[in-house]
Each structure stands twice: as structure tokens, then as C-alpha cells.
Amino acid sequence: MATAGGGSAAELGSRGLLRLLSFCVLLAGLCGGNSVERKIYIPLNKTAPCVRLLNATHQIGCHSSISGDTGVIHVVEKEEDLQWVLTDGPNPPYMVLLEGTLFTRKVMEKLKGSTSRIAGLAVSLAKPSPAAGFSPSVQCPNDGFGLYSNSYGPEFAHCRDIQWNYLGDGLAYEDFSFPIFLLEDENETNVIKQCYRDHNLSQNGSAPVFPLCAMQLFSHMHAVLSTVTCMRRSSIQSTFSINPEIVCDPLSDYNVWSMLKPINTSGTLEPDDKVVVVATQLDSRSFFWNVAPGAESAVASFVTQLAAAEALYKAPDVTTLPRNVMFVFFQGEAFDYIGSSRMVYDMERGKFPVQLENIDSFVELRQVALRESLELWMHTDPVSQKNKSVQSQVEHLLTALEESGAGVPTVVLRRLNQSQPLPPSSLQRFLRARNISGVVLTDHATVFHNRYYHSVYDTAENINVSYPGQQSPEEDLDFVTDTAKALADVATVLGRALYQLAGGTNFRDTIQADPHTVTRLLYGFLVRANNSWFQSILRQDLRSYLGDQGPLQHYIAVSSPTNTTYVVQYALANLTGKVVDLTREQCQDPSKVPNENKDLYEYMWVQGPLNSNGTERLPYCVRSTARLVRAVSPAFELGQWGSTEYSTWTESRWKDIRARIFLIASKELELITLAVGFGVLVCSLVITYCINAKADVLFIAPREPGSVSF
């Protein structure tokens, strides 16, 4: 009995020791795990990935393996440096740190053809921007989804007449099997280069000695092949799974629109009610996800339209004009006209207050910041003008623009040969549905002046927006740049033309756009969104949309409304609306207030400016006609994921996107470490077994005191 009792106690002692050891190991792991990871890895926090996009037939973009891709870093500063990566280097695969000036189709095709030696790519921004220009878009933007086709103006189809974006190399429409990241922070780029110089730089052509500096990129994409495939998979998951795993989402957001005179949005206009439409696009894109500065391709145009709207609303007799004016800011135009095609779709089906038959004329702004010799070019469609009635209406439209520009000497309006087609524009989607008189205003007569169309370099510098040194951010906000003055002049011409097209006669020449408004808008959208003016015109809960520092990005995305959409809506409301004397509760629910009508107006409770002490804000209620309407391709509402009529662009979902650098050992050392670790494990198991087998000897419990008999 004594032996049995002693064995049981020994076993308990053994188990207690093992539990104590396990607890200590677990505690050490919890306490030191993060610290060890921080000592091993340096995270790269300011990067932008190339992600996978899909349409009806293709997938484009980039992705990594599910566990991320790792490679030895090699800095490529000139094209000759590629030889080490592609052939000579003894330690593939390599993670290439590529200078921005070398991020071209020629170089990328070389890397794409050597995927066994390439783990991924990190691209640094070129400073200054590439002098020769850089556009990863195609030469014929939105080809196949505009007006011209084999049945309508076949001589203009597929940009046969003019390759509008002549610098486009189509890089953003290629599919890469390895991850590609943009390094947005110069300091992080320097850290990587220093790590490369310290560990990877070969001496006299010899192989560098381990440990080597490596990079790991995570950007595994869930969707594959095409929109048809990924949407079908998502649909099946949603139907049969309790927790569906959606693999892609349609690119979507909201269009911003407003009326010069309020209309009842719960119904539709009468056929005799005529409307002049003025439109532009809100979005842009680049090779990298959510890096879309779009200074020339989008911002300059919608800023000009905002300034024109403000100027027109100040005319004394706008409420009595014979025709109404609708301001529209389309989202998703960079992806086969998502916003404009959706509005046309809704108009045709009576789902929008304004119908196609209500449109009297259509004026569109497209790329207006890079004018040469003060010229602003008026583009029209030659095919629809074969109809004499349409030709007459277009002539009236051009004449109104020319007359309005006569009083602004810094803007010279030019006509084009009537045999030239329209450039890529939202007007094309409207003309597909109905013959209307329309004009597109641009700074280019033929090919784009913009050398950075749809690229990361289409920034404030591209349109010559700059500020004197030693100024505070608030001083920059109110500094009127030369570009702001030039765009204000274009806005003045546009405002006066709209007034005349709406039937106004008495106050046309008094309409004047405010350069101060233009410069604030340019600063907010291109330089620093989180400024005092933008803060004052937004709701308090939207302040986070402005970010901490830097400009807004104008990619449409899949979560909506995006930052740009909200800010443009609120800017439009504040520039064209009226401050009304309502409390916060009344502003949020005006249906309870006499003489206020939510079908006619939109009500917004905004933060307002800081008081004189700078301690608290002075909020107010803005009443305007600035509204949002859904901008998602009709293809997804119809379930036609393979449509050739409507945009089918989707964005793949992902779980984790990040980048980091660290030192890696040689394969031999890794194998030795693994073998030693395995040996230690085996020894530990043997020792544990031996201890457990001899527990009755090693852990003897004391005998219990018993009665002593004599």
C-alpha cells in the first residue's frame, strides 16, 4: 500500500512539474512574442498595393501567394541592374526595388517573363515626375463602351481617328502573378536601400554573404479569372452558406447632382420641362489601389464646375429662368462610364426625376487645366449632327459658349472640324440613348495634353499648383494660385453660358466665378484635405473622411460613398445652398417644420467654423438641392455579369495587405537550425519519458505517520 501511495504522489509531482514548465513557456511566449517579432521585422506602413480587378472577360492587376511572397532585395536604379536579378544573382527569388523612372512596360515585360526569379516588386516614386510622361492606362480609354462602334460611326470606333491617350502603355490592364507595391514614404525607401547596402551589395562581383536583407509582400486575392466567375461563386455562397465568403464586389459609389431650381424628387418632370445638363467626372485611377490624385483627369474639371455652380446661383433671376440647370458629377467614369451609364439607365426607366426627353442641351468639362495659348476646345459629335435639327441645336449651343467667352479675354473658345469625333466623355453614353445637342470642353484639340493620365504623377504639380515657401497651411489654403485664376475664368465662361442656355438675358455679364473658392477647392482636393474650410462644411461624423494629412484620392472603390463623393456633395451644398434657421433636430427631420420640404431640398447639419476664441464650433443647417444617386453599373442590377453594354468591373476581396523587411539566413544555416531544433525536441521527449518512468524513484512522497506498536 505504501508503494502504491508513493507512486501516485510521484505521478502527481511529475504532472505538476510539466504543467509548470508549460505555463512558463506559454507566459514567455505571450510576453515576448510581439517583442521578438518587432526585433525581427521592420513593417512598411506607407505602401499601396496593386490589386486584382476583373471584368466580363479578364483579370488584371497583381496578387501574392496566400502566405505572402518573400525574396532577397535587389535595388534596380538603372536598366543594366536587371541582369543580376534575371540571370546572374545566386540567391533567387528576388524582391526588386525599382526606381520610379524604370517602371515602364519594357522593364515590366522582362520581369514578367522571369517569374521563377522574381518574388515581387516595390516601386519608389520618381522625383521629379518622369519628364517623358507616364500613363499606365490604354491609348483608347473606355474603348467599346462609348458612342462609336461598328454600327455608329465605324470610322471612329476603337479610336481609329485619334489615339487620345497617346502615351498610354496599358500597363494597368496587364495581369501579374507576383505582388507589386508602391513605396509612398521616401524615408521607408531609404531604410530599405540602407538595408540592401549593408547586407546585399556584392563586392567585386562576388556573391554577397548571408544574412541577406529580404522583403515579404502580402496581397493574396480571392477572385480569379473574370467578373462572371467571381460573381457566380459569390452568388452560390450567398445562396447556400450561412456565412458566405464573397470573393469580389462591383465597383460602385454615388453620383452627385443638384438643380438650379428645386424639383420634386418623388416624381418626374413633365415632358415640356427642359433642363440644361452640365457634367463632369469625379473619379480617377492609377496602377496602385486607392492612389488616384487625378489633378488634370478629374479634379480641375469638377472644381471648375463647382465654382461655376456657385457663380450661377448668385444671379438675381435664377428662379425665373425658363429652363432649369442640372449639375452632375459622375462617379466611376474611369471604368467604362459606370456613373453616366447608370443615370441614363435610370432615366430611361423613369427611376430618376429628370428624363432623357427633358434634356435641352448637354455641356461637359473634361481636362481643362493645361490650356495652351488660352484655348478651350469645343468637341461635338459629327454623326448625330447629320440630323439637321440636332445640328441646329448644336450650333446654338456653340454660339452661346462663344458669346459667353467674349467677355473673358483669358479664355479663347475654339471650334473643331466637324469630322472629328468626341473624346472619351460621359456625353457619349447619353448620345447612345438619344440624339441631344452636346459639347465637351477640353484643353486639348486632339491628343491629351495630360502626360500623366491615370497615373500616380497626376498631382498638383502636374497642373502647376504650387505655393510660396514658409507659409502656414492656412495661408496656403487662401493663397490664390495662377491655376486657380485660370480655372476661375473657365468657370466664369461656363456659368455665363449656362445662364444664357437656361434663357437668361439680363445678368449674364455679371456672373463671375470666385478665384478664392477655386483655390480653396484645389488646395483641399490636391494638397491637404484636412483643412479648416473642409472641416467647417462637413458633418461632424464625416470629419474622419478628410484623413490626417495629404490630399484625397479619387478611386471609386467598392465601399461608398467615398471621401471625394461626400466632400463634393457638401461643398456643392455650401456653395449653392442657403443657411436656414433650424435647430439640429429640425435640420435632421425637416418634415416636422412648416414650409420645409424634403422632396424639394436636402438638409445638412454641418460643423461650421470655429468661434473667435477657437474653442468651439458654430454649427448651422444648410438647405440645398445637392443629392446623391446610386452609381453602380446596370449589369449588376440585371445580373448580366458578362455584359458588353454596361461596365462589369469588380474588385477582388483580400484578407491581408502588408509589407515588411527582415534578415534571412542561408539555406544551409536554416537546415542546421531545423536539425538542431529537431534534435532538442527528441532529447526533450526522451528525457521527459525517462523522468516519467522513474517518477516513483525521483519523487518519493513522505510516509504518513502511523501508530507505533510495541
Side-chain angles (χ1 to χ4, degrees):
M1 295 291 294
T3 304
S8 176
E11 186 178 350
L12 290 173
S14 173
R15 291 177 181 174
L17 179 62
L18 290 174
R19 288 172 182 169
L20 179 62
L21 289 172
S22 299
F23 176 76
C24 291
V25 170
L26 177 63
L27 185 63
L30 291 174
C31 296
N34 289 334
S35 175
V36 171
E37 182 175 352
R38 285 196 298 269
K39 290 178 180 178
I40 295 175
Y41 299 105
I42 299 177
L44 305 175
N45 298 316
K46 294 185 178 180
T47 61
C50 160
V51 304
R52 175 170 289 165
L53 300 175
L54 310 99
N55 64 10
T57 56
H58 293 83
Q59 65 179 28
I60 63 173
C62 322
H63 80 117
S64 74
S65 63
I66 194 168
S67 57
D69 290 330
T70 303
V72 175
I73 296 172
H74 188 75
V75 176
V76 175
E77 296 179 326
K78 54 186 182 299
E79 201 165 335
E80 291 75 17
D81 296 337
L82 287 172
Q83 185 175 346
W84 181 268
V85 173
L86 300 177
T87 57
D88 296 350
N91 301 302
Y94 285 96
M95 194 66 71
V96 178
L97 175 54
L98 190 68
E99 290 295 317
T101 52
L102 294 177
F103 187 54
T104 62
R105 188 178 187 90
K106 177 184 176 183
V107 171
M108 291 305 297
E109 284 179 346
K110 290 182 179 180
L111 297 175
K112 191 176 181 180
S114 302
T115 53
S116 62
R117 295 183 60 87
I118 304 298
L121 195 66
V123 182
S124 63
L125 280 171
K127 292 185 179 180
S129 302
F134 171 68
S135 174
S137 186
V138 291
Q139 294 187 348
C140 188
N142 293 347
D143 185 23
F145 291 87
L147 177 62
Y148 305 111
S149 65
N150 293 332
S151 59
Y152 186 99
E155 66 272 27
F156 306 128
H158 312 299
C159 300
R160 289 193 183 101
D161 191 54
I162 301 172
Q163 294 291 318
W164 296 98
N165 182 34
Y166 72 103
L167 287 174
D169 61 13
L171 197 59
Y173 290 83
E174 292 291 325
D175 183 40
F176 295 93
S177 59
F178 49 80
I180 303 176
F181 278 55
L182 175 69
L183 302 174
E184 299 183 273
D185 187 347
E186 191 173 356
N187 292 328
E188 288 188 345
T189 303
N190 290 334
V191 168
I192 299 170
K193 288 183 176 181
Q194 188 59 50
C195 185
Y196 165 78
R197 286 191 290 266
D198 291 343
H199 300 278
N200 298 9
L201 202 59
S202 61
Q203 301 295 330
N204 301 320
S206 61
V209 180
F210 285 93
L212 300 176
C213 190
M215 182 184 295
Q216 189 173 28
L217 301 179
F218 297 84
S219 63
H220 180 66
M221 300 287 125
H222 295 174
V224 295
L225 297 180
S226 67
T227 288
V228 176
T229 301
C230 77
M231 289 298 292
R232 184 177 65 245
R233 290 177 179 176
S234 297
S235 178
I236 293 172
Q237 284 275 337
S238 299
T239 303
F240 297 104
S241 176
I242 298 175
N243 298 308
E245 183 179 347
I246 308 300
V247 296
C248 67
D249 300 282
L251 295 181
S252 62
D253 195 45
Y254 287 83
N255 295 327
V256 182
W257 68 286
S258 74
M259 302 297 296
L260 185 63
K261 295 183 289 185
I263 61 173
N264 191 331
T265 56
S266 62
T268 57
L269 294 179
E270 295 296 326
D272 293 336
D273 295 332
K274 294 302 179 182
V275 175
V276 178
V277 176
V278 56
T280 190
Q281 77 175 74
L282 283 180
D283 67 306
S284 185
R285 67 163 303 195
S286 76
F287 186 90
F288 300 98
W289 182 75
N290 204 31
V291 181
E296 162 72 341
S297 62
V299 175
S301 301
F302 71 67
V303 163
T304 301
Q305 185 160 302
L306 286 168
E310 179 191 36
L312 182 60
Y313 271 80
K314 291 178 180 179
D317 60 343
V318 291
T319 57
T320 61
L321 294 176
R323 288 176 285 278
N324 212 335
V325 178
M326 181 171 77
F327 294 89
V328 190
F329 302 79
F330 290 120
Q331 265 286 11
E333 296 302 274
F335 293 94
D336 299 337
Y337 305 117
I338 292 174
S340 56
S341 63
R342 180 52 186 259
M343 181 165 282
V344 171
Y345 175 85
D346 288 342
M347 285 180 170
E348 289 177 321
R349 286 155 182 78
K351 297 180 179 180
F352 190 75
V354 179
Q355 308 296 292
L356 286 171
E357 61 187 9
N358 297 125
I359 298 177
D360 178 77
S361 52
F362 193 108
V363 182
E364 182 173 356
L365 291 178
R366 282 268 174 164
Q367 300 194 74
V368 294
L370 297 176
R371 289 184 292 137
E372 295 179 353
S373 304
L374 310 178
E375 292 173 327
L376 194 64
W377 296 91
M378 300 183 290
H379 300 259
T380 59
D381 171 43
V383 181
S384 61
Q385 289 187 73
K386 292 177 181 178
N387 181 309
K388 295 298 182 183
S389 175
V390 174
Q391 184 182 29
S392 174
Q393 294 170 6
V394 170
E395 179 63 30
H396 172 71
L397 176 57
L398 298 178
T399 301
L401 283 163
E402 289 170 337
E403 291 175 353
S404 301
V408 184
T410 54
V411 180
V412 179
L413 287 150
R414 299 289 192 198
R415 296 194 185 202
L416 286 159
N417 191 316
Q418 286 195 358
S419 63
Q420 182 172 309
L422 285 170
S425 54
S426 306
L427 174 59
Q428 293 197 29
R429 291 300 304 194
F430 282 81
L431 286 172
R432 281 178 69 142
R434 186 183 180 89
N435 272 350
I436 57 177
S437 62
V439 61
V440 179
L441 302 177
T442 73
D443 54 22
H444 54 88
T446 53
V447 297
F448 295 165
H449 288 169
N450 186 3
R451 294 177 298 130
Y452 307 109
Y453 181 75
H454 286 177
S455 87
V456 295
Y457 303 111
D458 190 8
T459 60
E461 289 76 15
N462 186 34
I463 60 171
N464 304 312
V465 173
S466 60
Y467 302 89
Q470 308 303 318
Q471 281 193 169
S472 68
E474 287 302 304
E475 290 172 327
D476 286 344
L477 173 65
D478 292 317
F479 178 79
V480 180
T481 63
D482 291 340
T483 300
K485 294 174 184 176
L487 292 178
D489 291 337
V490 175
T492 296
V493 172
L494 178 61
R496 292 178 180 181
L498 294 174
Y499 178 83
Q500 184 171 331
L501 291 169
T505 56
N506 298 326
F507 300 99
R508 186 192 70 184
D509 293 338
T510 66
I511 294 173
Q512 188 74 39
D514 186 359
H516 188 250
T517 296
V518 176
T519 206
R520 283 185 155 200
L521 289 167
L522 289 175
Y523 181 80
F525 284 112
L526 294 177
V527 181
R528 188 186 182 97
N530 198 355
N531 60 70
S532 60
W533 186 53
F534 273 11
Q535 290 171 12
S536 70
I537 64 174
L538 290 178
R539 290 198 320 254
Q540 184 176 3
D541 62 302
L542 296 179
R543 182 171 175 176
S544 62
Y545 278 56
L546 299 177
D548 296 325
Q549 296 183 24
L552 295 178
Q553 302 299 328
H554 311 294
Y555 173 64
I556 179 175
V558 295
S559 57
S560 55
T562 60
N563 309 32
T564 300
T565 301
Y566 264 136
V567 176
V568 167
Q569 183 197 12
Y570 275 75
L572 181 62
N574 279 267
L575 293 172
T576 62
K578 179 181 179 182
V579 177
V580 290
D581 187 18
L582 298 178
T583 65
R584 179 173 183 171
E585 291 72 22
Q586 290 173 328
C587 190
Q588 293 173 343
D589 186 13
S591 60
K592 299 178 181 179
V593 181
N595 302 322
E596 299 295 345
N597 190 334
K598 202 165 178 63
D599 288 334
L600 295 178
Y601 297 102
E602 191 80 4
Y603 296 81
M604 302 172 178
W605 184 259
V606 300
Q607 287 192 109
L610 291 169
N611 62 12
S612 57
N613 298 326
T615 55
E616 59 182 30
R617 294 194 173 273
L618 305 172
Y620 56 87
C621 183
V622 177
R623 184 183 71 190
S624 74
T625 61
R627 300 176 182 272
L628 301 180
V629 63
R630 201 80 174 98
V632 61
S633 172
F636 299 102
E637 182 166 311
L638 297 170
Q640 298 175 358
W641 304 323
S643 173
T644 57
E645 171 71 13
Y646 299 110
S647 172
T648 56
W649 285 106
T650 54
E651 179 184 276
S652 174
R653 287 196 179 185
W654 58 80
K655 184 178 181 180
D656 190 20
I657 286 184
R658 56 195 170 98
R660 59 189 185 182
I661 63 172
F662 55 96
L663 296 180
I664 59 171
S666 66
K667 296 294 182 183
E668 292 79 5
L669 182 57
E670 289 178 347
L671 289 174
I672 292 172
T673 304
L674 177 63
V676 170
F678 184 74
V680 170
L681 174 63
V682 172
C683 290
S684 300
L685 292 174
V686 171
I687 292 171
T688 302
Y689 174 79
C690 294
I691 291 175
N692 190 58
K694 300 294 183 180
D696 56 335
V697 177
L698 297 174
F699 304 101
I700 300 176
R703 296 174 60 89
E704 295 182 4
S707 58
V708 180
S709 57
F710 296 92

